[in-house]
Amino acid sequence: MKELELYIHIPFCIQKCRYCDFLSGPADDTSKRRYTEALIREIEAVPDDRDIRITTVFFGGGTPSVLPGEWTAAILETLRRKFTFAADAEITTEANPGTVDKEKLRVWRESGINRISFGCQSSYNEELRMLGRIHTWEDFLMSYALARESGFDNINIDLMSGLPGQSLKAWETTLRRAAGLKPEHISAYSLIVEEGTPFASMELDLPDEETERMMYSRTREILKEYGFVRYEISNYALPGRECLHNVGYWTRTSYLGLGLGASSLIGNTRFTNTPDMGEYLRNSANPGCLRRNIEHLEEKDEIEETMFLGLRLMRGVDKHRFEQTFGTTIRKIYAPVLEKYIDLGLLAETEDAVFLTEEGVSVSNAVMAEFLLDSY
Ligand code: SF4
């Protein structure tokens, strides 16, 4: 059986955060209902293939938790009718604090959702306000407690460092407050000021490079005290609680994206659904018409992606899997790069894998860039 991951895009948020360039925005209930109906039509139109086994489902956005619980359950029910699910499939929904209540959490549990990823970002209300978030730290604590009471035993907390005006001490406090709640997983990304966002046109008092560097290294040290292991450049989990869906991305498992603007990788083909809502609503029953940017990857592209994405994982790129997939070894293709960076102490190699060392992680972009293949 072929394994497949599913990504479901819910492009709605209560209000736009000042740093966000995701395909998302506010909408009224009628628009949300129309979209959910269109999404269900898109799922129903996927060609049947009983030889596929769904290992993970991820509701992302936007803020998937703005939909009524019953609508999310209806989407999942349609997915189950269409696909064969692994018995232990990881089914995650992103949620914003303040958008969940007991009833919604109950419906989610009953529908099979077994993981929640809370967009918390900070434990300081002034930082949350400055980011344009809709919630306070207290809202987050309440939502987190409700999720635990409702039986969710796999929870991620998203946090963000490098915020305007944020001190190293404030970041450390946020990390300790979040880790002290004992979630299974913490994602800790640093703020990127994206073009076209309100932040891009503001004078921001961003932490200097040295503070940013300290924030990154302290993240690992502090989370380690609480039992978290860094398994990817920006992701930390208790042992055995890594996000399987994202590990799938980094190891190039096929995934099908459903919904507005959703991206897919099926075998060696990448494509993206239209980002135009009108077009999506009109054509969702005919997924072929939604597809944009269809790219058939050559072997060279697949090898590069395998290295870039795999090196993000602390366990690195699996040498045996690489050889099975490409019929050649990493060493045969990349001997000079491996030698150079192993000598510099930035890469390491064992019988089974090639991976970034601790020093390598801090300059990962520069190292990864050398895995581009000019000629192959
Ligand atoms: S909640 Fe998330 S998706 Fe929505 S605007 Fe904020 S950052 Fe963007």
Side-chain angles (χ1 to χ4, degrees), residues 113-361:
I113 291 174
N114 49 30
R115 187 171 183 274
I116 298 182
S117 175
F118 279 115
C120 171
Q121 315 311 348
S122 170
S123 68
Y124 288 92
N125 290 338
E126 56 275 28
E127 289 179 355
L128 292 169
R129 262 195 306 278
M130 176 263 305
L131 290 169
R133 305 286 303 178
I134 56 161
H135 56 88
T136 60
W137 169 248
E138 291 71 28
D139 291 332
F140 163 72
L141 289 177
M142 215 175 321
S143 296
Y144 183 87
L146 272 182
R148 283 299 198 213
E149 276 166 33
S150 307
F152 284 93
D153 62 3
N154 199 0
I155 297 183
N156 168 58
I157 303 178
D158 277 345
L159 299 176
M160 200 180 266
S161 64
L163 308 182
Q166 187 182 43
S167 65
L168 178 60
K169 190 161 179 297
W171 171 239
E172 291 187 359
T173 302
T174 285
L175 282 172
R176 287 189 187 283
R177 284 177 180 161
L181 296 170
K182 300 186 170 45
E184 283 66 37
H185 191 287
I186 292 182
S187 294
Y189 286 93
S190 61
L191 172 72
I192 297 176
V193 178
E194 303 281 0
E195 261 179 54
T197 61
F199 264 11
S201 54
M202 288 163 72
E203 283 273 311
L204 300 173
D205 169 27
L206 294 169
D208 59 34
E209 235 176 72
E210 176 58 13
T211 309
E212 277 258 25
R213 212 184 48 75
M214 285 298 293
M215 284 176 170
Y216 187 70
S217 62
R218 289 295 291 146
T219 301
R220 177 162 167 269
E221 290 164 10
I222 289 173
L223 293 184
K224 199 171 164 197
E225 288 174 30
Y226 292 81
F228 291 91
V229 177
R230 180 169 67 196
Y231 69 98
E232 193 267 349
I233 290 176
S234 306
N235 284 279
Y236 302 78
L238 298 183
R241 295 308 193 108
E242 296 81 9
C243 173
L244 301 179
H245 186 81
N246 285 341
V247 170
Y249 280 144
W250 296 314
T251 53
R252 299 191 75 251
T253 303
S254 286
Y255 58 91
L256 178 66
L258 296 152
L260 189 73
S263 301
S264 302
L265 170 70
I266 305 291
N268 68 348
T269 305
R270 287 195 179 276
F271 56 89
T272 312
N273 275 357
T274 175
D276 180 308
M277 182 63 95
E279 205 176 341
Y280 181 77
L281 295 178
R282 275 194 307 281
N283 293 334
S284 73
N286 196 350
C289 294
L290 301 175
R291 294 183 180 173
R292 301 286 176 274
N293 313 317
I294 301 171
E295 193 188 352
H296 299 291
L297 302 175
E298 293 175 15
E299 190 168 71
K300 165 184 166 296
D301 305 318
E302 291 190 83
I303 289 174
E304 287 175 353
E305 279 191 3
T306 301
M307 298 308 296
F308 293 161
L309 295 171
L311 285 175
R312 292 192 63 89
L313 290 167
M314 296 306 109
R315 70 183 194 215
V317 183
D318 183 323
K319 287 163 69 175
H320 310 294
R321 192 169 162 194
F322 186 97
E323 198 170 344
Q324 273 161 20
T325 310
F326 300 112
T328 183
T329 63
I330 298 178
R331 212 154 243 288
K332 276 194 187 131
I333 301 177
Y334 288 113
V337 184
L338 293 187
E339 292 305 335
K340 174 177 167 188
Y341 285 112
I342 289 171
D343 280 356
L344 288 170
L346 302 177
L347 273 182
E349 186 180 15
T350 60
E351 278 284 290
D352 303 317
V354 172
F355 53 92
L356 290 168
T357 61
E358 195 48 50
E359 295 71 42
V361 169

Side-chain angles (χ1 to χ4, degrees), residues 12-13 15-17 19-22 24 61-63 96 133:
F12 306 119
C13 289
Q15 74 178 23
K16 198 76 183 158
C17 302
Y19 59 92
C20 178
D21 74 337
F22 296 147
S24 67
T63 307
N96 267 349
R133 305 286 303 178

Side-chain angles (χ1 to χ4, degrees), residues 24-163:
S24 67
D28 58 24
D29 286 349
T30 310
S31 308
K32 288 181 197 155
R33 177 179 285 283
R34 281 203 195 116
Y35 179 78
T36 305
E37 289 165 357
L39 184 56
I40 287 176
R41 287 197 297 277
E42 185 189 1
I43 298 167
E44 284 170 341
V46 174
D48 287 321
D49 184 348
R50 285 289 154 190
D51 199 31
I52 284 175
R53 198 170 63 111
I54 301 302
T55 51
T56 69
V57 180
F58 196 101
F59 287 87
T63 307
S65 52
V66 297
L67 293 188
E70 289 71 20
W71 298 9
T72 309
I75 297 167
L76 255 177
E77 210 181 291
T78 315
L79 290 172
R80 287 185 193 281
R81 276 203 307 274
K82 173 58 64 179
F83 299 100
T84 305
F85 275 47
D88 57 352
E90 176 192 89
I91 306 178
T92 305
T93 185
E94 290 183 334
N96 267 349
T99 60
V100 296
D101 55 29
K102 253 190 172 160
E103 178 55 15
K104 191 176 284 185
L105 289 161
R106 185 190 65 74
V107 175
W108 281 357
R109 285 274 300 163
E110 275 180 12
S111 72
I113 291 174
N114 49 30
R115 187 171 183 274
I116 298 182
S117 175
F118 279 115
C120 171
Q121 315 311 348
S122 170
S123 68
Y124 288 92
N125 290 338
E126 56 275 28
E127 289 179 355
L128 292 169
R129 262 195 306 278
M130 176 263 305
L131 290 169
R133 305 286 303 178
I134 56 161
H135 56 88
T136 60
W137 169 248
E138 291 71 28
D139 291 332
F140 163 72
L141 289 177
M142 215 175 321
S143 296
Y144 183 87
L146 272 182
R148 283 299 198 213
E149 276 166 33
S150 307
F152 284 93
D153 62 3
N154 199 0
I155 297 183
N156 168 58
I157 303 178
D158 277 345
L159 299 176
M160 200 180 266
S161 64
L163 308 182

